[in-house]
Each structure stands twice: as C-alpha cells, then as structure tokens.
Amino acid sequence: MSFWKRLFGGGSGAEEAPAGGKEIEYAGFTVRATPFKQDGQYQCSGVVSKEVDGEVKEHRFIRADRFASLDDAIDISLRKGRQMVDEQGERMFRE
C-alpha cells in the first residue's frame, strides 16, 4: 500500500494472508492460522473454535511475533493456538 493511501485513510498497512491458510483439529478444537502481512512481515494470528452446546464459539488471537516467511507465521500461529487449548481449554470462550 502506498504512503499516500495510508496517510489519507486508505488502510492500516495490514494485508490479510492469501486464502488457504492452514487449519488443524486439536483435542476437539479447530485451530486456524490467519497470519496477515504488516510492514513487510507476517504477523502471528489465528482462530480457535469449538462447538459448545450446539453453538460454534470462536476465540481470535493476535501475537506480537512477526516473521519474514508466511510458512513460519502459519506454523507458529498453529503452535500458539494449540498452546492456548492446552492452557485454557473451553475457558477461553467465557465472557
């Protein structure tokens, strides 16, 4: 994105990662990597979801970690999602 577009409200400089991000099943949860491009690097982010009482619950996360490679960002995003499942389980869906 050009300097002028960012300056005059054309966007934040963040771009979504290309379609086809990786998704895994882990301990009854679905973990989906959703890294996005920010300032020339890929930001670690993802979604952890699970069906609870007939309703799909989602928890979105973004971490400060950035990577030059999209593949690295996807791998770490999935690892962070699995870590959240291990540490919090369904508690991450509580309000």
Side-chain angles (χ1 to χ4, degrees), residues 11-82:
S12 65
E15 302 171 26
E16 286 293 322
K22 195 169 181 182
E23 181 175 287
I24 61 168
E25 295 294 321
Y26 182 72
F29 291 78
T30 301
V31 180
R32 185 173 69 241
T34 60
F36 57 92
K37 200 163 190 178
Q38 179 76 39
D39 299 326
Q41 294 185 314
Y42 292 95
Q43 186 97 26
C44 176
S45 70
V47 179
V48 177
S49 61
K50 182 176 185 179
E51 187 172 322
V52 178
D53 298 327
E55 180 182 351
V56 176
K57 302 278 189 172
E58 287 189 341
H59 178 80
R60 298 180 182 277
F61 64 91
I62 298 175
R63 297 292 182 260
D65 307 301
R66 291 190 183 177
F67 304 91
S69 161
L70 176 59
D71 289 336
D72 289 344
I74 289 171
D75 290 343
I76 297 301
S77 296
L78 293 174
R79 185 180 309 159
K80 294 287 186 180
R82 288 191 306 264

